PDB file of all heavy atoms in Angstrom:
ATOM      1  N   LEU L 393      77.936  19.431  28.695  1.00  0.00           N
ATOM      2  CA  LEU L 393      77.578  19.138  27.259  1.00  0.00           C
ATOM      3  C   LEU L 393      78.791  18.729  26.478  1.00  0.00           C
ATOM      4  O   LEU L 393      78.669  18.461  25.271  1.00  0.00           O
ATOM      5  CB  LEU L 393      76.922  20.372  26.652  1.00  0.00           C
ATOM      6  CG  LEU L 393      75.511  20.725  27.227  1.00  0.00           C
ATOM      7  CD1 LEU L 393      75.069  22.078  26.685  1.00  0.00           C
ATOM      8  CD2 LEU L 393      74.524  19.638  26.938  1.00  0.00           C
ATOM      9  N   GLY L 394      80.018  18.730  27.126  1.00  0.00           N
ATOM     10  CA  GLY L 394      81.114  18.331  26.416  1.00  0.00           C
ATOM     11  C   GLY L 394      81.837  19.349  25.555  1.00  0.00           C
ATOM     12  O   GLY L 394      82.779  18.970  24.733  1.00  0.00           O
ATOM     13  N   VAL L 395      81.495  20.622  25.743  1.00  0.00           N
ATOM     14  CA  VAL L 395      82.112  21.687  24.861  1.00  0.00           C
ATOM     15  C   VAL L 395      83.057  22.434  25.578  1.00  0.00           C
ATOM     16  O   VAL L 395      83.612  23.436  25.030  1.00  0.00           O
ATOM     17  CB  VAL L 395      81.004  22.564  24.195  1.00  0.00           C
ATOM     18  CG1 VAL L 395      80.065  21.765  23.256  1.00  0.00           C
ATOM     19  CG2 VAL L 395      80.097  23.229  25.262  1.00  0.00           C
ATOM     20  N   ALA L 396      83.311  22.197  26.926  1.00  0.00           N
ATOM     21  CA  ALA L 396      84.271  23.044  27.632  1.00  0.00           C
ATOM     22  C   ALA L 396      85.234  21.981  28.303  1.00  0.00           C
ATOM     23  O   ALA L 396      84.830  20.947  28.899  1.00  0.00           O
ATOM     24  CB  ALA L 396      83.570  23.769  28.837  1.00  0.00           C
ATOM     25  N   SER L 397      86.509  22.216  28.171  1.00  0.00           N
ATOM     26  CA  SER L 397      87.515  21.277  28.602  1.00  0.00           C
ATOM     27  C   SER L 397      87.797  21.598  30.075  1.00  0.00           C
ATOM     28  O   SER L 397      87.513  22.599  30.659  1.00  0.00           O
ATOM     29  CB  SER L 397      88.833  21.336  27.810  1.00  0.00           C
ATOM     30  OG  SER L 397      89.316  22.715  28.040  1.00  0.00           O
ATOM     31  N   LEU L 398      88.502  20.660  30.783  1.00  0.00           N
ATOM     32  CA  LEU L 398      88.911  20.801  32.076  1.00  0.00           C
ATOM     33  C   LEU L 398      89.820  22.016  32.175  1.00  0.00           C
ATOM     34  O   LEU L 398      89.773  22.825  33.363  1.00  0.00           O
ATOM     35  CB  LEU L 398      89.591  19.682  32.702  1.00  0.00           C
ATOM     36  CG  LEU L 398      88.615  18.460  33.112  1.00  0.00           C
ATOM     37  CD1 LEU L 398      89.470  17.269  33.471  1.00  0.00           C
ATOM     38  CD2 LEU L 398      87.768  18.825  34.321  1.00  0.00           C
ATOM     39  N   GLY L 399      90.608  22.311  31.222  1.00  0.00           N
ATOM     40  CA  GLY L 399      91.448  23.550  31.279  1.00  0.00           C
ATOM     41  C   GLY L 399      90.743  24.762  31.311  1.00  0.00           C
ATOM     42  O   GLY L 399      91.006  25.706  32.048  1.00  0.00           O
ATOM     43  N   GLU L 400      89.583  24.849  30.494  1.00  0.00           N
ATOM     44  CA  GLU L 400      88.835  25.962  30.474  1.00  0.00           C
ATOM     45  C   GLU L 400      88.109  26.071  31.894  1.00  0.00           C
ATOM     46  O   GLU L 400      87.921  27.328  32.309  1.00  0.00           O
ATOM     47  CB  GLU L 400      87.681  25.853  29.416  1.00  0.00           C
ATOM     48  CG  GLU L 400      88.313  26.010  28.021  1.00  0.00           C
ATOM     49  CD  GLU L 400      87.271  25.827  26.850  1.00  0.00           C
ATOM     50  OE1 GLU L 400      86.477  24.850  27.005  1.00  0.00           O
ATOM     51  OE2 GLU L 400      87.136  26.665  26.003  1.00  0.00           O
ATOM     52  N   VAL L 401      87.648  25.029  32.401  1.00  0.00           N
ATOM     53  CA  VAL L 401      87.011  25.075  33.707  1.00  0.00           C
ATOM     54  C   VAL L 401      88.033  25.665  34.697  1.00  0.00           C
ATOM     55  O   VAL L 401      87.692  26.501  35.564  1.00  0.00           O
ATOM     56  CB  VAL L 401      86.464  23.654  34.143  1.00  0.00           C
ATOM     57  CG1 VAL L 401      86.042  23.752  35.627  1.00  0.00           C
ATOM     58  CG2 VAL L 401      85.445  23.163  33.244  1.00  0.00           C
ATOM     59  N   LEU L 402      89.212  25.201  34.730  1.00  0.00           N
ATOM     60  CA  LEU L 402      90.170  25.714  35.638  1.00  0.00           C
ATOM     61  C   LEU L 402      90.520  27.222  35.489  1.00  0.00           C
ATOM     62  O   LEU L 402      90.599  27.934  36.561  1.00  0.00           O
ATOM     63  CB  LEU L 402      91.584  24.964  35.369  1.00  0.00           C
ATOM     64  CG  LEU L 402      92.735  25.369  36.348  1.00  0.00           C
ATOM     65  CD1 LEU L 402      92.347  25.056  37.749  1.00  0.00           C
ATOM     66  CD2 LEU L 402      93.964  24.549  35.921  1.00  0.00           C
ATOM     67  N   VAL L 403      90.601  27.714  34.253  1.00  0.00           N
ATOM     68  CA  VAL L 403      90.732  29.133  34.033  1.00  0.00           C
ATOM     69  C   VAL L 403      89.642  29.937  34.633  1.00  0.00           C
ATOM     70  O   VAL L 403      89.771  30.936  35.299  1.00  0.00           O
ATOM     71  CB  VAL L 403      90.914  29.438  32.530  1.00  0.00           C
ATOM     72  CG1 VAL L 403      90.883  30.846  32.238  1.00  0.00           C
ATOM     73  CG2 VAL L 403      92.228  28.824  31.942  1.00  0.00           C
ATOM     74  N   ALA L 404      88.370  29.439  34.268  1.00  0.00           N
ATOM     75  CA  ALA L 404      87.129  30.145  34.817  1.00  0.00           C
ATOM     76  C   ALA L 404      87.158  30.149  36.441  1.00  0.00           C
ATOM     77  O   ALA L 404      86.698  31.090  36.981  1.00  0.00           O
ATOM     78  CB  ALA L 404      85.991  29.552  34.287  1.00  0.00           C
ATOM     79  N   ALA L 405      87.601  28.982  36.904  1.00  0.00           N
ATOM     80  CA  ALA L 405      87.631  28.945  38.442  1.00  0.00           C
ATOM     81  C   ALA L 405      88.598  29.829  38.975  1.00  0.00           C
ATOM     82  O   ALA L 405      88.327  30.460  40.084  1.00  0.00           O
ATOM     83  CB  ALA L 405      87.934  27.451  38.824  1.00  0.00           C
ATOM     84  N   VAL L 406      89.766  30.007  38.340  1.00  0.00           N
ATOM     85  CA  VAL L 406      90.775  30.957  38.920  1.00  0.00           C
ATOM     86  C   VAL L 406      90.295  32.384  38.811  1.00  0.00           C
ATOM     87  O   VAL L 406      90.472  33.116  39.723  1.00  0.00           O
ATOM     88  CB  VAL L 406      92.132  30.830  38.154  1.00  0.00           C
ATOM     89  CG1 VAL L 406      93.112  31.857  38.383  1.00  0.00           C
ATOM     90  CG2 VAL L 406      92.775  29.376  38.340  1.00  0.00           C
ATOM     91  N   LEU L 407      89.627  32.720  37.713  1.00  0.00           N
ATOM     92  CA  LEU L 407      89.077  34.031  37.650  1.00  0.00           C
ATOM     93  C   LEU L 407      87.997  34.321  38.682  1.00  0.00           C
ATOM     94  O   LEU L 407      87.888  35.381  39.359  1.00  0.00           O
ATOM     95  CB  LEU L 407      88.498  34.233  36.207  1.00  0.00           C
ATOM     96  CG  LEU L 407      89.441  34.301  35.018  1.00  0.00           C
ATOM     97  CD1 LEU L 407      88.614  34.373  33.776  1.00  0.00           C
ATOM     98  CD2 LEU L 407      90.336  35.439  35.184  1.00  0.00           C
ATOM     99  N   ALA L 408      87.190  33.263  38.923  1.00  0.00           N
ATOM    100  CA  ALA L 408      86.205  33.365  40.046  1.00  0.00           C
ATOM    101  C   ALA L 408      86.920  33.560  41.336  1.00  0.00           C
ATOM    102  O   ALA L 408      86.335  34.323  42.231  1.00  0.00           O
ATOM    103  CB  ALA L 408      85.342  32.156  39.981  1.00  0.00           C
ATOM    104  N   LEU L 409      87.993  32.820  41.645  1.00  0.00           N
ATOM    105  CA  LEU L 409      88.600  33.017  42.880  1.00  0.00           C
ATOM    106  C   LEU L 409      89.192  34.447  43.075  1.00  0.00           C
ATOM    107  O   LEU L 409      89.132  35.003  44.200  1.00  0.00           O
ATOM    108  CB  LEU L 409      89.849  32.010  43.024  1.00  0.00           C
ATOM    109  CG  LEU L 409      89.352  30.480  43.264  1.00  0.00           C
ATOM    110  CD1 LEU L 409      90.529  29.648  43.094  1.00  0.00           C
ATOM    111  CD2 LEU L 409      88.797  30.423  44.693  1.00  0.00           C
ATOM    112  N   ILE L 410      89.643  34.963  42.033  1.00  0.00           N
ATOM    113  CA  ILE L 410      90.240  36.385  42.027  1.00  0.00           C
ATOM    114  C   ILE L 410      89.122  37.323  42.340  1.00  0.00           C
ATOM    115  O   ILE L 410      89.214  38.270  43.109  1.00  0.00           O
ATOM    116  CB  ILE L 410      90.856  36.760  40.724  1.00  0.00           C
ATOM    117  CG1 ILE L 410      92.097  35.929  40.508  1.00  0.00           C
ATOM    118  CG2 ILE L 410      91.250  38.177  40.720  1.00  0.00           C
ATOM    119  CD1 ILE L 410      92.802  36.134  39.161  1.00  0.00           C
ATOM    120  N   ALA L 411      87.851  37.080  41.664  1.00  0.00           N
ATOM    121  CA  ALA L 411      86.822  37.980  41.978  1.00  0.00           C
ATOM    122  C   ALA L 411      86.308  37.783  43.403  1.00  0.00           C
ATOM    123  O   ALA L 411      85.973  38.836  44.116  1.00  0.00           O
ATOM    124  CB  ALA L 411      85.755  37.556  41.110  1.00  0.00           C
ATOM    125  N   ILE L 412      86.390  36.593  44.012  1.00  0.00           N
ATOM    126  CA  ILE L 412      85.997  36.335  45.317  1.00  0.00           C
ATOM    127  C   ILE L 412      86.907  37.187  46.329  1.00  0.00           C
ATOM    128  O   ILE L 412      86.400  37.841  47.303  1.00  0.00           O
ATOM    129  CB  ILE L 412      86.168  34.922  45.767  1.00  0.00           C
ATOM    130  CG1 ILE L 412      84.945  34.114  45.112  1.00  0.00           C
ATOM    131  CG2 ILE L 412      85.957  34.626  47.217  1.00  0.00           C
ATOM    132  CD1 ILE L 412      84.974  32.597  45.216  1.00  0.00           C
ATOM    133  N   VAL L 413      88.222  37.209  46.093  1.00  0.00           N
ATOM    134  CA  VAL L 413      89.171  37.896  46.950  1.00  0.00           C
ATOM    135  C   VAL L 413      88.795  39.391  46.926  1.00  0.00           C
ATOM    136  O   VAL L 413      88.679  40.013  47.933  1.00  0.00           O
ATOM    137  CB  VAL L 413      90.594  37.762  46.448  1.00  0.00           C
ATOM    138  CG1 VAL L 413      91.486  38.594  47.228  1.00  0.00           C
ATOM    139  CG2 VAL L 413      90.981  36.210  46.626  1.00  0.00           C
ATOM    140  N   VAL L 414      88.542  39.946  45.719  1.00  0.00           N
ATOM    141  CA  VAL L 414      88.180  41.346  45.629  1.00  0.00           C
ATOM    142  C   VAL L 414      86.883  41.759  46.256  1.00  0.00           C
ATOM    143  O   VAL L 414      86.704  42.680  46.984  1.00  0.00           O
ATOM    144  CB  VAL L 414      88.095  41.840  44.162  1.00  0.00           C
ATOM    145  CG1 VAL L 414      87.640  43.221  43.953  1.00  0.00           C
ATOM    146  CG2 VAL L 414      89.518  41.652  43.472  1.00  0.00           C
ATOM    147  N   VAL L 415      85.880  40.871  45.921  1.00  0.00           N
ATOM    148  CA  VAL L 415      84.547  41.140  46.512  1.00  0.00           C
ATOM    149  C   VAL L 415      84.487  40.908  47.959  1.00  0.00           C
ATOM    150  O   VAL L 415      83.827  41.756  48.688  1.00  0.00           O
ATOM    151  CB  VAL L 415      83.499  40.081  45.835  1.00  0.00           C
ATOM    152  CG1 VAL L 415      82.143  40.209  46.511  1.00  0.00           C
ATOM    153  CG2 VAL L 415      83.253  40.506  44.277  1.00  0.00           C
ATOM    154  N   VAL L 416      85.190  39.950  48.526  1.00  0.00           N
ATOM    155  CA  VAL L 416      85.101  39.668  50.048  1.00  0.00           C
ATOM    156  C   VAL L 416      85.711  40.930  50.658  1.00  0.00           C
ATOM    157  O   VAL L 416      85.223  41.301  51.786  1.00  0.00           O
ATOM    158  CB  VAL L 416      85.810  38.366  50.266  1.00  0.00           C
ATOM    159  CG1 VAL L 416      86.131  38.339  51.717  1.00  0.00           C
ATOM    160  CG2 VAL L 416      85.000  37.165  49.849  1.00  0.00           C
ATOM    161  N   ARG L 417      86.851  41.398  50.102  1.00  0.00           N
ATOM    162  CA  ARG L 417      87.550  42.656  50.849  1.00  0.00           C
ATOM    163  C   ARG L 417      86.563  43.813  50.840  1.00  0.00           C
ATOM    164  O   ARG L 417      86.390  44.442  51.880  1.00  0.00           O
ATOM    165  CB  ARG L 417      88.807  42.954  50.078  1.00  0.00           C
ATOM    166  CG  ARG L 417      89.861  41.980  50.280  1.00  0.00           C
ATOM    167  CD  ARG L 417      91.136  42.353  49.552  1.00  0.00           C
ATOM    168  NE  ARG L 417      91.699  43.647  50.081  1.00  0.00           N
ATOM    169  CZ  ARG L 417      92.548  43.671  51.015  1.00  0.00           C
ATOM    170  NH1 ARG L 417      92.980  42.591  51.690  1.00  0.00           N
ATOM    171  NH2 ARG L 417      93.035  44.931  51.470  1.00  0.00           N
ATOM    172  N   LEU L 418      85.908  44.066  49.729  1.00  0.00           N
ATOM    173  CA  LEU L 418      84.912  45.212  49.578  1.00  0.00           C
ATOM    174  C   LEU L 418      83.729  44.986  50.494  1.00  0.00           C
ATOM    175  O   LEU L 418      83.268  45.816  51.218  1.00  0.00           O
ATOM    176  CB  LEU L 418      84.542  45.460  48.160  1.00  0.00           C
ATOM    177  CG  LEU L 418      85.586  45.950  47.299  1.00  0.00           C
ATOM    178  CD1 LEU L 418      85.040  46.036  45.833  1.00  0.00           C
ATOM    179  CD2 LEU L 418      86.109  47.268  47.707  1.00  0.00           C
ATOM    180  N   ALA L 419      83.225  43.722  50.451  1.00  0.00           N
ATOM    181  CA  ALA L 419      82.092  43.364  51.331  1.00  0.00           C
ATOM    182  C   ALA L 419      82.371  43.471  52.756  1.00  0.00           C
ATOM    183  O   ALA L 419      81.509  43.872  53.489  1.00  0.00           O
ATOM    184  CB  ALA L 419      81.468  41.977  51.009  1.00  0.00           C
ATOM    185  N   GLY L 420      83.569  42.976  53.111  1.00  0.00           N
ATOM    186  CA  GLY L 420      84.010  43.153  54.501  1.00  0.00           C
ATOM    187  C   GLY L 420      83.989  44.570  55.065  1.00  0.00           C
ATOM    188  O   GLY L 420      83.646  44.843  56.195  1.00  0.00           O
ATOM    189  N   ARG L 421      84.458  45.474  54.163  1.00  0.00           N
ATOM    190  CA  ARG L 421      84.569  46.814  54.617  1.00  0.00           C
ATOM    191  C   ARG L 421      83.114  47.397  54.659  1.00  0.00           C
ATOM    192  O   ARG L 421      82.845  48.118  55.610  1.00  0.00           O
ATOM    193  CB  ARG L 421      85.274  47.626  53.528  1.00  0.00           C
ATOM    194  CG  ARG L 421      85.302  49.160  53.853  1.00  0.00           C
ATOM    195  CD  ARG L 421      86.078  49.943  52.803  1.00  0.00           C
ATOM    196  NE  ARG L 421      87.523  49.576  52.788  1.00  0.00           N
ATOM    197  CZ  ARG L 421      88.379  50.063  51.980  1.00  0.00           C
ATOM    198  NH1 ARG L 421      87.997  50.954  51.045  1.00  0.00           N
ATOM    199  NH2 ARG L 421      89.547  49.727  52.009  1.00  0.00           N
ATOM    200  N   VAL L 422      82.258  47.115  53.769  1.00  0.00           N
ATOM    201  CA  VAL L 422      80.835  47.528  53.853  1.00  0.00           C
ATOM    202  C   VAL L 422      80.186  46.999  55.124  1.00  0.00           C
ATOM    203  O   VAL L 422      79.544  47.824  55.830  1.00  0.00           O
ATOM    204  CB  VAL L 422      80.124  47.113  52.570  1.00  0.00           C
ATOM    205  CG1 VAL L 422      78.527  47.372  52.728  1.00  0.00           C
ATOM    206  CG2 VAL L 422      80.629  47.769  51.267  1.00  0.00           C
ATOM    207  N   TYR L 423      80.348  45.748  55.315  1.00  0.00           N
ATOM    208  CA  TYR L 423      79.760  45.109  56.474  1.00  0.00           C
ATOM    209  C   TYR L 423      80.310  45.786  57.856  1.00  0.00           C
ATOM    210  O   TYR L 423      79.523  46.103  58.698  1.00  0.00           O
ATOM    211  CB  TYR L 423      80.169  43.644  56.523  1.00  0.00           C
ATOM    212  CG  TYR L 423      79.482  42.833  57.575  1.00  0.00           C
ATOM    213  CD1 TYR L 423      78.214  42.309  57.588  1.00  0.00           C
ATOM    214  CD2 TYR L 423      80.333  42.607  58.857  1.00  0.00           C
ATOM    215  CE1 TYR L 423      77.649  41.722  58.657  1.00  0.00           C
ATOM    216  CE2 TYR L 423      79.725  41.861  59.860  1.00  0.00           C
ATOM    217  CZ  TYR L 423      78.460  41.372  59.789  1.00  0.00           C
ATOM    218  OH  TYR L 423      77.868  40.754  60.826  1.00  0.00           O
ATOM    219  N   GLN L 424      81.557  45.969  57.978  1.00  0.00           N
ATOM    220  CA  GLN L 424      82.143  46.522  59.182  1.00  0.00           C
ATOM    221  C   GLN L 424      81.589  47.988  59.372  1.00  0.00           C
ATOM    222  O   GLN L 424      81.346  48.343  60.498  1.00  0.00           O
ATOM    223  CB  GLN L 424      83.659  46.483  59.066  1.00  0.00           C
ATOM    224  CG  GLN L 424      84.368  47.136  60.243  1.00  0.00           C
ATOM    225  CD  GLN L 424      85.923  46.935  60.158  1.00  0.00           C
ATOM    226  OE1 GLN L 424      86.371  46.271  59.391  1.00  0.00           O
ATOM    227  NE2 GLN L 424      86.649  47.615  61.005  1.00  0.00           N
ATOM    228  N   ASN L 425      81.534  48.760  58.359  1.00  0.00           N
ATOM    229  CA  ASN L 425      81.153  50.085  58.537  1.00  0.00           C
ATOM    230  C   ASN L 425      79.574  50.276  58.523  1.00  0.00           C
ATOM    231  O   ASN L 425      79.136  51.434  58.904  1.00  0.00           O
ATOM    232  CB  ASN L 425      81.613  50.815  57.245  1.00  0.00           C
ATOM    233  CG  ASN L 425      83.076  51.043  57.207  1.00  0.00           C
ATOM    234  OD1 ASN L 425      83.768  50.923  58.229  1.00  0.00           O
ATOM    235  ND2 ASN L 425      83.647  51.343  56.030  1.00  0.00           N
ATOM    236  N   SER L 426      78.756  49.242  58.329  1.00  0.00           N
ATOM    237  CA  SER L 426      77.427  49.354  58.316  1.00  0.00           C
ATOM    238  C   SER L 426      76.550  48.691  59.386  1.00  0.00           C
ATOM    239  O   SER L 426      75.435  49.073  59.688  1.00  0.00           O
ATOM    240  CB  SER L 426      76.856  49.001  56.875  1.00  0.00           C
ATOM    241  OG  SER L 426      77.453  49.642  55.899  1.00  0.00           O
ATOM    242  N   VAL L 427      77.150  47.523  59.711  1.00  0.00           N
ATOM    243  CA  VAL L 427      76.373  46.546  60.568  1.00  0.00           C
ATOM    244  C   VAL L 427      75.881  47.227  62.012  1.00  0.00           C
ATOM    245  O   VAL L 427      74.812  46.720  62.503  1.00  0.00           O
ATOM    246  CB  VAL L 427      77.185  45.262  60.789  1.00  0.00           C
ATOM    247  CG1 VAL L 427      78.344  45.419  61.827  1.00  0.00           C
ATOM    248  CG2 VAL L 427      76.240  44.102  61.181  1.00  0.00           C
ATOM    249  N   LEU L 428      76.596  48.084  62.467  1.00  0.00           N
ATOM    250  CA  LEU L 428      76.305  48.572  63.808  1.00  0.00           C
ATOM    251  C   LEU L 428      75.501  50.002  63.628  1.00  0.00           C
ATOM    252  O   LEU L 428      75.132  50.551  64.656  1.00  0.00           O
ATOM    253  CB  LEU L 428      77.508  48.948  64.644  1.00  0.00           C
ATOM    254  CG  LEU L 428      78.296  47.613  65.143  1.00  0.00           C
ATOM    255  CD1 LEU L 428      79.559  48.085  65.859  1.00  0.00           C
ATOM    256  CD2 LEU L 428      77.250  46.903  65.976  1.00  0.00           C
ATOM    257  N   ARG L 429      75.181  50.371  62.379  1.00  0.00           N
ATOM    258  CA  ARG L 429      74.480  51.668  62.174  1.00  0.00           C
ATOM    259  C   ARG L 429      73.014  51.333  61.929  1.00  0.00           C
ATOM    260  O   ARG L 429      72.684  50.617  60.959  1.00  0.00           O
ATOM    261  CB  ARG L 429      75.017  52.421  61.048  1.00  0.00           C
ATOM    262  CG  ARG L 429      76.492  52.710  61.253  1.00  0.00           C
ATOM    263  CD  ARG L 429      77.103  53.501  60.072  1.00  0.00           C
ATOM    264  NE  ARG L 429      76.433  54.797  59.890  1.00  0.00           N
ATOM    265  CZ  ARG L 429      76.792  55.676  58.949  1.00  0.00           C
ATOM    266  NH1 ARG L 429      77.827  55.354  58.140  1.00  0.00           N
ATOM    267  NH2 ARG L 429      76.077  56.720  58.769  1.00  0.00           N
ATOM    268  N   THR L 430      72.181  51.792  62.803  1.00  0.00           N
ATOM    269  CA  THR L 430      70.714  51.597  62.656  1.00  0.00           C
ATOM    270  C   THR L 430      70.087  52.854  62.097  1.00  0.00           C
ATOM    271  O   THR L 430      70.696  53.928  62.128  1.00  0.00           O
ATOM    272  CB  THR L 430      70.101  51.168  64.008  1.00  0.00           C
ATOM    273  OG1 THR L 430      70.446  52.153  64.947  1.00  0.00           O
ATOM    274  CG2 THR L 430      70.697  49.791  64.456  1.00  0.00           C
TER     275      THR L 430
END
Side-chain angles (χ1 to χ4, degrees):
L393 293 173
V395 296
S397 65
L398 282 174
E400 291 178 311
V401 173
L402 181 60
V403 171
V406 170
L407 293 175
L409 286 171
I410 295 173
I412 289 173
V413 172
V414 175
V415 169
V416 166
R417 288 180 65 88
L418 292 175
R421 177 180 294 179
V422 171
Y423 181 84
Q424 180 174 348
N425 291 343
S426 307
V427 73
L428 292 177
R429 300 181 61 179
T430 57

